[in-house]
C-alpha cells in the first residue's frame, strides 16, 4: 500500500525563480494538505485541498499557490522565491472530515534550498 | 504561528530509561496527535487522543490529555536507540489543519 509520495526530494533554486512541488496522496485519501518546516521548527500549515478546491489557508502570502487534480494528487507552486522560503515542504493526506483514529499520513518531504 | 510549546526542547537519556515529553496548546481542540520525525524527513503518526479521552496507550507509548490545562504528555517506556528523533504534538479541529508545536529532540544513548 503506497503511502504519500513527494517529488523531487531535493531542489536548489535561485532567488526570484519559481518552483513546483508534487504530491501523490495515500490510496483512499482525497484531501491533501501542505506544510512548510523551517530548520529547527515545527511544520506550519500552508493550505488544504479537497475536491480540487482550496478549503483552508494558513498565514502564507499569495506567492504560494496550489492545485489538486481529479486523481487527488496535488502541486504546490511558489513564485518569486525568497531566501526565507528555504525549508522542508511536507505533504499530508487524509480522508476529508477526518474521523478515523489514524491521523494524517505524511510524505518524506521536499527539501528546497533558495540561493 | 505555533500552537504552543513542547517541553523540554531537548532530552538525552540512556537506553532502557523512560522519556517524557510535554506539550501545551492554546485553543479548543477535537483531538491531539503526536508525530515522530527522523533526521528532518517525513513525519510518522504515533498516536491520536480525542478531546474526550484522558489517557491512551499504544505499545510503549502512553499519552495523557488534560483539556482543562490545555496540555498533553507523551511517555515512551524502555527507550531504544531507534527512538532517537524529534517528537511533535499537533492539535486538530475536525480535520481542517494540524497546528504543531516546536518539538522535542530526543536522544537515546546506547
Amino acid at each position: 500500500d503506497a503511502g504519500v509520495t513527494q517529488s523531487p526530494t531535493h531542489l536548489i533554486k535561485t532567488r526570484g525563480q519559481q518552483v513546483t512541488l508534487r504530491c501523490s496522496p495515500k490510496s483512499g485519501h482525497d484531501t491533501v494538505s501542505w506544510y512548510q518546516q523551517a530548520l529547527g521548527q515545527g511544520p506550519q500549515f500552508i493550505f488544504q485541498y479537497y475536491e480540487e478546491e482550496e478549503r483552508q489557508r494558513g498565514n502564507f502570502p499569495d506567492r504560494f499557490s496550489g492545485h489538486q487534480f481529479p486523481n487527488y494528487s496535488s502541486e504546490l507552486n511558489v513564485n518569486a522565491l525568497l531566501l526565507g522560503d528555504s525549508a522542508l515542504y511536507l505533504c499530508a493526506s487524509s480522508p476529508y472530515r477526518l474521523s478515523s483514529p489514524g491521523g494524517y499520513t505524511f510524505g518524506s518531504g521536499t527539501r528546497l534550498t533558495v540561493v | 504561528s505555533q500552537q504552543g510549546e513542547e517541553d523540554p526542547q531537548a532530552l538525552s537519556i540512556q537506553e532502557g530509561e523512560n522519556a517524557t515529553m510535554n506539550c501545551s496548546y492554546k485553543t479548543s481542540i477535537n483531538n491531539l496527535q503526536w508525530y515522530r520525525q527522523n533526521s528532518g524527513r517525513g513525519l510518522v503518526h504515533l498516536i491520536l487522543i480525542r478531546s474526550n479521552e484522558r489517557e491512551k496507550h499504544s505499545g510503549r507509548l502512553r499519552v495523557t490529555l488534560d483539556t482543562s490545562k490545555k496540555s498533553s504528555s507523551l511517555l515512551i517506556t524502555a527507550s531504544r536507540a531507534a527512538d532517537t528523533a524529534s517528537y511533535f504534538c499537533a492539535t486538530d479541529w475536525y480535520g481542517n489543519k494540524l497546528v504543531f508545536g516546536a518539538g522535542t529532540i530526543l536522544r537515546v544513548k546506547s
Side-chain angles (χ1 to χ4, degrees), chain B residues 35-86:
Chain B
Y35 288 83
R36 183 185 73 230
Q37 185 176 44
N38 292 87
S39 302
R41 300 307 296 178
L43 296 162
V44 175
H45 179 261
L46 296 176
I47 194 166
L48 179 153
I49 186 166
R50 300 193 185 282
S51 59
N52 61 353
E53 297 175 312
R54 292 297 166 259
E55 186 172 315
K56 200 163 183 179
H57 297 255
S58 177
R60 294 184 297 113
L61 306 179
R62 172 180 170 256
V63 170
T64 62
L65 179 64
D66 187 336
T67 53
S68 67
K69 295 181 179 179
K70 289 188 167 58
S71 67
S72 174
S73 67
L74 171 68
L75 168 68
I76 304 174
T77 60
S79 62
R80 307 165 181 168
D83 295 328
T84 294
S86 293

Side-chain angles (χ1 to χ4, degrees), chain A residues 9-10 35 37 40-45 48 56 88 90 96-104 106-109 111, chain B residues 1-2 30-31 33 35 37 39-45 48 50 56 88 92 94-98 100-103:
Chain A
T9 55
H10 294 85
Y35 292 81
Q37 186 179 20
Q41 297 183 21
Q44 295 213 7
F45 175 77
Q48 182 185 79
Q56 291 273 326
L88 180 68
L90 295 162
Y96 192 60
R97 293 191 179 88
L98 187 73
S99 60
S100 74
Y104 292 70
F106 280 81
S108 295
R111 174 75 62 188
Chain B
S1 61
Q2 306 286 170
N30 177 46
N31 65 69
Q33 304 173 31
Y35 288 83
Q37 185 176 44
S39 302
R41 300 307 296 178
L43 296 162
V44 175
H45 179 261
L48 179 153
R50 300 193 185 282
K56 200 163 183 179
F88 295 91
D92 185 25
Y94 293 101
N96 287 330
K97 65 178 181 182
L98 291 176
F100 286 86

Side-chain angles (χ1 to χ4, degrees), chain A residues 35-96:
Chain A
Y35 292 81
Q36 180 195 65
Q37 186 179 20
L39 198 62
Q41 297 183 21
Q44 295 213 7
F45 175 77
I46 303 175
F47 42 53
Q48 182 185 79
Y49 277 84
Y50 171 69
E51 290 187 332
E52 302 178 49
E53 290 188 12
E54 183 182 292
R55 300 289 178 166
Q56 291 273 326
R57 188 177 183 92
N59 188 26
F60 280 81
D62 292 344
R63 298 186 298 109
F64 289 77
S65 63
H67 188 79
Q68 186 179 35
F69 299 93
N71 66 353
Y72 309 125
S73 66
S74 176
E75 289 182 348
L76 164 64
N77 301 292
V78 186
N79 295 322
L81 284 167
L82 304 173
L83 295 179
D85 295 332
S86 295
L88 180 68
Y89 288 85
L90 295 162
C91 172
S93 73
S94 62
Y96 192 60

